Amino acid sequence: MSHRNYLEVLTPQNSQLIFIDQQPQMAFGVQSIDRQTLKNNVVGLAKAAKVFHIPVTLTTVETESFSGHTYPELLSVFPDHPLLERSSMNSWDDQNVRDALAANVAKGHKKIIVSGLWTEVCNNTFALSAMHDTGYEIYMVADASGGTSLDAHNYAMQRMVQAGVVPVTWQQVLLEWQRDWAKRDTYNAVMDIVREHSGAYGMGVDYCYTMVHKAPERVQHGGTIGPNPAQS
């Protein structure tokens, strides 16, 4: 990948996304990130891809014999999407995966964004092999991936970066796709994702909407009772 490719921001037109082995048995082994946070980030990234019509590849390994079924929360974002089942830990070894990625690259989606488990195995081998064989541009979503230890994750990320992989985070990807708040066709959907998946940022959005802009609360609730100071 040439130096100038690094200067290109992610857009809906140049991006595609692959989820690798986001399955429970793989998540059980993750020790580099809180696993509930991991799932939150994966699902937030998936919802972002859907909003911006990003081509998505979902691939799984040894579902029935070892890894278990992909998170329901992820599948619910893409309920009709095929799952490309593999035997190899390295997704690049599977022809169906290669064909899916190549078909999207042919349409201009040359930047392949990766969210997978584990960072040091499935993500690492896929990224290095794909870049070695084709020169594909790989972007690794560090906080929507996880390793068996913090060292395993960090050193795998360093190894991939040395090879030319671009490290990113899921919210960075979301906001790079949005780019301009004047893009109203995706604005509300992006804010919905932020409020649900972006922690303090999302809480701040709710606060600003209701307290500053006086928008109604997102959830209807029962009546407010009190204050009622207790009598001494």
Side-chain angles (χ1 to χ4, degrees), residues 20-223:
I20 299 175
D21 305 345
Q22 295 289 357
Q23 298 164 268
Q25 180 62 46
M26 304 306 297
F28 295 160
V30 169
Q31 297 291 324
S32 62
I33 184 174
D34 175 77
R35 282 163 285 190
Q36 186 64 30
T37 301
L38 170 68
K39 186 166 70 170
N40 171 80
N41 297 349
V42 168
V43 175
L45 180 63
K47 290 179 178 178
K50 189 169 186 178
V51 166
F52 289 98
H53 306 290
I54 308 298
V56 171
T57 300
L58 298 173
T59 183
T60 52
V61 66
E62 296 292 333
T63 297
E64 297 291 341
S65 61
F66 180 77
S67 299
H69 295 284
T70 301
Y71 315 139
E73 297 90 343
L74 175 56
L75 293 179
S76 68
V77 181
F78 308 109
D80 301 316
H81 208 290
L83 301 175
L84 304 184
E85 179 74 2
R86 313 181 327 275
S87 62
S88 175
M89 289 177 280
N90 185 345
S91 298
W92 189 247
D93 293 339
D94 190 90
Q95 191 62 47
N96 290 333
V97 172
R98 292 191 189 190
D99 291 346
L101 299 175
N104 293 327
V105 169
K107 299 175 183 176
H109 302 282
K110 60 185 179 179
K111 298 182 183 295
I112 301 174
I113 301 165
V114 182
S115 163
L117 304 177
W118 296 320
T119 317
E120 70 271 27
V121 183
C122 303
N123 293 15
N124 181 77
T125 57
F126 165 77
L128 296 181
S129 297
M131 293 176 70
H132 177 273
D133 291 355
T134 67
Y136 283 171
E137 300 175 30
I138 306 294
Y139 289 68
M140 191 63 54
V141 189
D143 62 351
S145 301
T148 55
S149 70
L150 188 56
D151 272 348
H153 174 81
N154 287 342
Y155 284 119
M157 290 296 299
Q158 288 182 34
R159 181 183 178 189
M160 288 187 282
V161 169
Q162 286 176 334
V165 172
V166 182
V168 292
T169 58
W170 84 269
Q171 190 167 263
Q172 176 185 3
V173 172
L174 165 69
L175 298 180
E176 216 157 304
W177 284 337
Q178 174 65 28
R179 185 165 179 160
D180 187 341
W181 293 123
K183 295 180 179 177
R184 306 307 294 185
D185 54 333
T186 52
Y187 176 89
N188 288 333
V190 167
M191 285 294 100
D192 286 343
I193 294 170
V194 165
R195 285 183 289 208
E196 184 172 0
H197 293 280
S198 293
Y201 176 26
M203 296 176 200
V205 171
D206 268 329
Y207 179 88
C208 183
Y209 273 35
T210 57
M211 304 302 289
V212 178
H213 299 294
K214 305 303 179 183
E217 294 175 81
R218 287 192 292 139
V219 177
Q220 290 187 333
H221 53 78

Side-chain angles (χ1 to χ4, degrees), residues 6-17:
Y6 291 106
L7 303 181
E8 296 173 348
V9 299
L10 297 170
T11 69
Q13 293 73 38
N14 68 19
S15 301
Q16 62 171 296
L17 176 61

